[in-house]
Amino acid sequence: MSEPLGSGGQSPQNSAAKGAALAREKLAQAKADALRRGQLPRSEPRRRKNGARRDSADPQLFGGAIRDLLAERGWEQSVAVGGVFGRWREIVGPELASHTRPETFEDGELLVSADSTAWATQVRLLAASLVRRLNEELGDGTVHRVKVHGPNTGVRPGGLRVHGSKGPGDTYG
């Protein structure tokens, strides 16, 4: 009759006890060797922090590196506003976007231009909900006011001007 491999004619309990004793002996020997070399073993177990610890020289994920750069330079809001300008159609809807476009954003005020006075009036009526929607995208309190410009038609037709005049009242008298 054959015996199980690795038992050497011993019972499993006896074999496990010998294995544990051998491991303790090897551990004690390693500690003694470390002590002779001046490398004392740690008395408490090592604690691992959650997640990998990165060195500044380690490669980083692209998105994280960009976020860090934007935060470092203070460009987060400018980039967010640029994103809103780029996604204007998604934010305001295709119909409104086909007749309006954002022009500038400064000090919490968004300047929107409309292609007709009717659409400029429509945007003025929707200004409060537009501010609310933009603040959902950019962060609460970023946009305070929406200012709307109608179409820029240039010089009004039919008005004769005299060189050196001081305005419309000057041409009639």
Side-chain angles (χ1 to χ4, degrees):
M1 185 149 115
S2 68
E3 297 177 8
L5 291 176
S7 67
Q10 301 171 8
S11 72
Q13 291 85 9
N14 194 11
S15 177
K18 278 193 167 190
L22 183 60
R24 279 192 293 276
E25 182 183 324
K26 292 294 182 186
L27 178 61
Q29 184 180 359
K31 285 182 178 181
D33 291 344
L35 184 61
R36 277 192 301 262
R37 289 191 310 262
Q39 300 171 340
L40 295 174
R42 296 175 58 104
S43 59
E44 70 277 348
R46 291 181 185 236
R47 295 180 188 163
R48 290 188 175 237
K49 294 182 180 179
N50 293 342
R53 190 171 146 188
R54 291 184 183 258
D55 185 4
S56 63
D58 287 345
Q60 298 179 17
L61 296 175
F62 185 71
I66 293 296
R67 276 190 300 277
D68 291 347
L69 176 68
L70 295 177
E72 181 181 303
R73 303 280 171 104
W75 294 342
E76 293 128 323
Q77 185 176 14
S78 300
V79 169
V81 169
V84 166
F85 281 29
R87 296 181 306 115
W88 183 249
R89 179 173 289 280
E90 296 170 31
I91 293 169
V92 300
E95 187 175 15
L96 189 60
S98 64
H99 298 284
T100 62
R101 73 174 184 274
E103 294 290 330
T104 61
F105 179 79
E106 284 185 28
D107 301 324
E109 181 177 277
L110 176 67
L111 176 64
V112 176
S113 65
D115 63 4
S116 70
T117 55
W119 280 104
T121 301
Q122 183 70 17
V123 173
R124 286 184 192 105
L125 293 172
L126 294 171
S129 49
L130 188 56
V131 166
R132 188 171 50 254
R133 177 70 176 106
L134 291 169
N135 281 329
E136 287 173 7
E137 291 288 324
L138 298 172
D140 198 30
T142 304
V143 179
H144 302 290
R145 181 175 174 212
V146 173
K147 190 173 180 181
V148 184
H149 283 272
N152 192 2
T153 57
V155 180
R156 292 184 178 172
L160 298 174
R161 301 290 305 235
V162 175
H163 292 290
S165 72
K166 296 180 180 165
D170 230 27
T171 59
Y172 300 110

